[in-house]
């Protein structure tokens, strides 16, 4: 299937992605409404978010540039120090931007 990269094609892709996202979000909530949440399932749900996050971060740590590594380190340090995700994320984004702005992208 080919979609042209015209304005209409791009808008069609955005619409398709939006529908798929909404169906998966609402579908997950709908399906989980039939599941009894016991401690085992609750534990699975709580650890799933961490697993997805780690699956995204680990490859970046090994194959990313200096900016992504700086973001990872700064975010981890601030998160461990403050236990607050928003300042940690902001500091990580700032660190990545600063390293890339200064041209220190090679390790």
């Amino acid at each position: 299937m080919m979609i042209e990269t015209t304005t209409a094609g791009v808008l069609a892709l955005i619409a398709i992605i939006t529908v798929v996202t909404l169906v998966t979000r609402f579908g997950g909530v709908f399906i989980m409404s039939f599941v009894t949440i016991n401690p085992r399932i609750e534990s699975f749900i709580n650890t799933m978010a961490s697993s997805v996050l780690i699956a995204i971060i680990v490859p970046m740590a090994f194959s990313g540039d200096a900016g992504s590594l700086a973001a990872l380190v700064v975010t981890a340090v601030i998160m461990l120090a403050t236990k607050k995700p928003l300042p940690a994320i902001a500091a990580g984004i700032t660190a990545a931007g600063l390293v890339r702005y200064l041209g220190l992208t090679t390790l």
Side-chain angles (χ1 to χ4, degrees):
M1 180 174 137
M2 290 289 297
I3 297 180
E4 297 294 324
T5 54
T6 60
T7 302
V10 171
L11 290 176
L13 286 173
I14 292 171
I16 292 168
I17 292 168
T18 301
V19 169
V20 169
T21 301
L22 287 173
V23 167
T24 56
R25 297 275 179 155
F26 292 139
V29 171
F30 177 73
I31 290 171
M32 287 304 293
S33 69
F34 296 107
V35 176
T36 304
I37 306 295
N38 58 33
R40 184 175 176 201
I41 293 175
E42 185 177 359
S43 173
F44 171 77
I45 292 169
N46 289 336
T47 56
M48 183 57 67
S50 300
S51 299
V52 170
L53 189 60
I54 289 171
I56 293 169
I57 290 174
V58 169
M60 181 183 72
F62 287 103
S63 65
D65 62 349
S68 60
L69 192 57
L72 179 64
V73 170
V74 169
T75 302
V77 168
I78 300 296
M79 188 65 192
L80 290 172
T82 65
K83 307 269 192 282
K84 295 181 181 180
L86 192 57
I89 292 168
I93 291 170
T94 302
L98 190 61
V99 166
R100 290 178 178 147
Y101 177 75
L102 295 174
L104 306 172
T105 57
T106 58
L107 292 175

